[in-house]
Coordinates of all heavy atoms in Angstrom, one line a residue:
D158 N -149.6 16.2 -43.6 CA -148.4 15.6 -44.1 C -148.7 14.7 -45.2 O -148.0 14.6 -46.2 CB -147.6 14.9 -43.0 CG -147.0 15.9 -42.0 OD1 -146.9 17.1 -42.3 OD2 -146.8 15.5 -40.8
V159 N -149.6 13.8 -45.0 CA -150.0 12.8 -46.1 C -150.5 13.5 -47.4 O -150.0 13.3 -48.5 CB -151.0 11.8 -45.6 CG1 -151.5 10.9 -46.7 CG2 -150.5 11.0 -44.4
R160 N -151.3 14.5 -47.2 CA -151.7 15.3 -48.2 C -150.7 16.0 -49.1 O -150.6 16.0 -50.3 CB -152.8 16.2 -47.9 CG -153.3 17.1 -49.0 CD -154.4 18.0 -48.7 NE -154.8 18.9 -49.9 CZ -155.4 20.1 -49.7 NH1 -155.7 20.5 -48.6 NH2 -155.7 20.7 -50.8
A161 N -149.7 16.5 -48.3 CA -148.6 17.2 -48.9 C -147.7 16.3 -49.8 O -147.1 16.6 -50.8 CB -147.7 17.8 -47.9
W162 N -147.6 15.0 -49.4 CA -146.9 14.0 -50.2 C -147.7 13.4 -51.3 O -147.1 13.0 -52.3 CB -146.3 13.0 -49.3 CG -145.0 13.4 -48.6 CD1 -145.0 13.9 -47.3 CD2 -143.7 13.5 -49.2 NE1 -143.7 14.4 -47.1 CE2 -142.9 14.1 -48.2 CE3 -143.1 13.2 -50.4 CZ2 -141.6 14.3 -48.4 CZ3 -141.9 13.4 -50.6 CH2 -141.1 14.0 -49.6
K163 N -148.9 13.5 -51.2 CA -149.8 12.9 -52.3 C -150.1 14.0 -53.4 O -150.3 13.7 -54.5 CB -151.1 12.3 -51.8 CG -150.8 11.0 -51.1 CD -152.2 10.4 -50.7 CE -152.0 9.0 -50.1 NZ -153.3 8.4 -49.9
D164 N -150.2 15.2 -52.9 CA -150.6 16.3 -53.8 C -149.5 17.3 -54.1 O -149.2 18.2 -53.2 CB -151.8 17.1 -53.1 CG -152.4 18.2 -54.0 OD1 -151.8 18.4 -55.1 OD2 -153.4 18.7 -53.5
P165 N -148.8 17.3 -55.1 CA -147.7 18.1 -55.4 C -148.0 19.6 -55.4 O -147.1 20.4 -54.9 CB -147.1 17.7 -56.7 CG -148.0 16.7 -57.2 CD -149.0 16.4 -56.3
L166 N -149.1 20.0 -55.8 CA -149.5 21.4 -55.8 C -149.6 21.9 -54.4 O -149.2 23.0 -54.0 CB -150.8 21.6 -56.6 CG -150.7 21.3 -58.1 CD1 -152.1 21.5 -58.8 CD2 -149.6 22.2 -58.8
Y167 N -150.3 21.1 -53.5 CA -150.4 21.4 -52.1 C -149.0 21.6 -51.4 O -148.8 22.5 -50.7 CB -151.3 20.4 -51.4 CG -151.5 20.7 -50.0 CD1 -152.3 21.8 -49.5 CD2 -151.0 19.9 -49.0 CE1 -152.5 22.1 -48.1 CE2 -151.2 20.1 -47.6 CZ -152.0 21.3 -47.3 OH -152.2 21.5 -45.9
R168 N -148.2 20.6 -51.8 CA -146.9 20.6 -51.2 C -146.1 21.8 -51.6 O -145.4 22.5 -50.7 CB -146.1 19.3 -51.6 CG -144.7 19.2 -51.1 CD -144.0 17.9 -51.4 NE -144.0 17.5 -52.8 CZ -144.6 16.5 -53.4 NH1 -145.3 15.6 -52.6 NH2 -144.4 16.3 -54.6
E169 N -146.1 22.2 -52.8 CA -145.4 23.4 -53.3 C -146.0 24.7 -52.6 O -145.3 25.6 -52.3 CB -145.6 23.5 -54.8 CG -144.7 22.5 -55.6 CD -143.3 22.6 -55.3 OE1 -142.7 23.7 -55.2 OE2 -142.7 21.6 -55.1
K170 N -147.3 24.7 -52.4 CA -147.9 25.8 -51.7 C -147.4 25.9 -50.3 O -147.1 27.0 -49.8 CB -149.4 25.6 -51.7 CG -150.2 26.9 -51.2 CD -151.7 26.9 -51.5 CE -152.3 25.9 -50.6 NZ -153.8 26.0 -50.6
L171 N -147.3 24.8 -49.6 CA -146.7 24.8 -48.2 C -145.3 25.2 -48.2 O -144.8 26.0 -47.4 CB -146.8 23.3 -47.5 CG -148.2 22.9 -47.3 CD1 -148.1 21.5 -46.8 CD2 -148.9 23.8 -46.2
I172 N -144.5 24.8 -49.1 CA -143.1 25.1 -49.2 C -142.9 26.6 -49.5 O -142.1 27.3 -48.9 CB -142.3 24.2 -50.2 CG1 -142.3 22.8 -49.7 CG2 -140.9 24.8 -50.5 CD1 -141.8 21.8 -50.8
A173 N -143.7 27.1 -50.4 CA -143.7 28.6 -50.7 C -144.1 29.5 -49.6 O -143.6 30.6 -49.4 CB -144.6 28.9 -51.9
A174 N -145.0 28.8 -48.7 CA -145.3 29.6 -47.5 C -144.3 29.5 -46.3 O -144.4 30.1 -45.2 CB -146.7 29.2 -47.0
G175 N -143.2 28.7 -46.6 CA -142.2 28.6 -45.7 C -142.4 27.5 -44.7 O -141.6 27.4 -43.6
E176 N -143.3 26.6 -44.9 CA -143.5 25.5 -44.0 C -142.7 24.3 -44.3 O -142.3 24.1 -45.5 CB -145.0 25.1 -44.0 CG -146.0 26.1 -43.5 CD -147.4 25.6 -43.3 OE1 -147.6 24.5 -42.9 OE2 -148.2 26.4 -43.6
T177 N -142.3 23.5 -43.4 CA -141.5 22.4 -43.6 C -142.4 21.2 -43.7 O -143.4 21.0 -43.0 CB -140.6 22.1 -42.3 OG1 -139.9 23.3 -42.1 CG2 -139.7 20.9 -42.6
V178 N -142.2 20.5 -44.8 CA -143.0 19.3 -45.1 C -142.2 18.0 -44.9 O -141.2 17.8 -45.4 CB -143.4 19.3 -46.6 CG1 -144.3 18.1 -47.0 CG2 -144.1 20.6 -47.0
F179 N -142.7 17.2 -43.9 CA -142.0 16.0 -43.5 C -142.7 14.8 -44.2 O -143.9 14.8 -44.6 CB -142.2 15.8 -42.0 CG -141.4 16.9 -41.2 CD1 -142.1 17.8 -40.6 CD2 -140.0 16.8 -41.1 CE1 -141.4 18.8 -39.9 CE2 -139.3 17.7 -40.4 CZ -140.0 18.7 -39.8
H180 N -142.0 13.8 -44.3 CA -142.5 12.5 -44.9 C -143.4 11.9 -43.9 O -143.2 12.0 -42.7 CB -141.4 11.5 -45.2 CG -141.8 10.3 -45.9 ND1 -142.4 9.3 -45.3 CD2 -141.7 10.0 -47.3 CE1 -142.8 8.4 -46.3 NE2 -142.3 8.9 -47.5
P181 N -144.6 11.4 -44.3 CA -145.6 10.9 -43.3 C -145.0 9.8 -42.4 O -145.6 9.6 -41.3 CB -146.7 10.4 -44.2 CG -146.5 11.0 -45.5 CD -145.1 11.3 -45.7
A182 N -144.1 9.1 -42.8 CA -143.5 8.0 -41.9 C -142.6 8.5 -40.9 O -142.2 7.8 -40.0 CB -142.8 6.9 -42.8
G183 N -142.2 9.7 -41.1 CA -141.3 10.4 -40.1 C -139.9 10.3 -40.5 O -139.5 9.8 -41.6
L184 N -139.0 10.9 -39.7 CA -137.6 10.9 -40.0 C -136.9 9.6 -39.6 O -137.3 9.0 -38.6 CB -136.9 12.1 -39.3 CG -137.4 13.5 -39.6 CD1 -136.7 14.4 -38.7 CD2 -137.0 13.8 -41.1
P185 N -135.9 9.1 -40.4 CA -135.2 7.9 -40.1 C -134.4 8.1 -38.8 O -133.9 9.2 -38.6 CB -134.4 7.5 -41.3 CG -134.2 8.8 -42.0 CD -135.5 9.7 -41.7
D186 N -134.3 7.1 -38.0 CA -133.6 7.2 -36.7 C -132.5 6.1 -36.8 O -132.5 5.2 -35.9 CB -134.5 7.0 -35.5 CG -133.8 7.4 -34.2 OD1 -132.7 8.1 -34.3 OD2 -134.3 7.0 -33.2

Side-chain angles (χ1 to χ4, degrees):
D158 290 338
V159 173
R160 179 178 174 201
W162 279 97
K163 288 185 172 187
D164 182 356
L166 296 175
Y167 181 68
R168 180 173 54 244
E169 289 300 320
K170 188 167 75 170
L171 290 176
I172 292 171
E176 293 189 37
T177 304
V178 180
F179 293 105
H180 191 279
L184 297 173
D186 190 20

